[in-house]
């Protein structure tokens, strides 16, 4: 983690919308089928809304039917970190940005081949950069 990204809630609030703050910095969840990217199909790269680190490529995005943007792997192995999450009386695996520790979503083992993983990510934690046209 980059220590220059250890910011107070107040500093994050200045940089983010209230929704982005509550989800990315306070481990919230957007309602399914409401985010900007669950049904977004353009080619490009999804970055962390807090620190702009590249996180996921449109090449590994797929329609999971969940109502959240879903990917079968991160853009680089070390782009995200995973942590056990014991909220809601069940154990899930939380996915965080490895650079600024933003909460991104959760990872489940019901994804498509080749990894079998489903990174279920909040749109509010992402910004999208389209692939430059040639
Ligand atoms: Fe980040």
């Amino acid at each position: 983690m980059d220590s220059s990204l250890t910011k107070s809630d107040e500093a994050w609030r200045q940089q983010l919308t209230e929704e982005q703050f509550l989800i990315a910095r306070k481990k919230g969840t957007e309602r399914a089928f409401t985010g900007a990217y669950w049904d977004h199909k353009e080619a490009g790269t999804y970055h962390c809304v807090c620190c702009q680190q590249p996180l996921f490529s449109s090449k590994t995005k797929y329609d999971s039917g969940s109502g959240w943007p879903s990917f079968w792997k991160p853009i680089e192995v070390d782009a995200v970190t995973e942590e056990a999450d014991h909220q809601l009386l069940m154990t899930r695996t939380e996915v965080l940005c490895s650079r600024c520790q933003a909460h991104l979503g959760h990872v489940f083992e019901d994804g498509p081949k080749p990894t079998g993983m489903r990174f279920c990510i909040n749109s509010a934690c992402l910004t999208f950069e389209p692939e430059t046209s040639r």
Side-chain angles (χ1 to χ4, degrees), residues 86-124:
H86 302 288
Q87 281 179 39
L88 303 175
L89 304 175
M90 54 179 168
T91 302
R92 293 179 298 172
T93 304
E94 182 186 0
V95 182
L96 304 113
C97 170
S98 64
R99 184 156 175 252
C100 76
Q101 298 295 293
H103 169 78
L104 302 173
H106 291 88
V107 60
F108 303 92
E109 293 181 1
D110 59 9
K113 289 177 180 178
T115 61
M117 306 302 275
R118 169 170 59 103
F119 289 81
C120 191
I121 304 300
N122 290 283
S123 298

Side-chain angles (χ1 to χ4, degrees), residues 19-20 29 39 44 52 57 62 74 78 83 98 101 109 126:
E19 188 194 28
Q20 289 167 342
T29 303
D39 196 26
Q52 282 70 54
S57 163
Y62 72 102
D78 59 359
E83 250 173 54
S98 64
Q101 298 295 293
E109 293 181 1
L126 302 172

Side-chain angles (χ1 to χ4, degrees), residues 66-86:
S66 67
W68 289 281
S70 301
F71 305 87
W72 48 264
K73 70 166 191 187
I75 199 158
E76 299 286 349
V77 252
D78 59 359
V80 300
T81 52
E82 297 177 12
E83 250 173 54
D85 170 2
H86 302 288

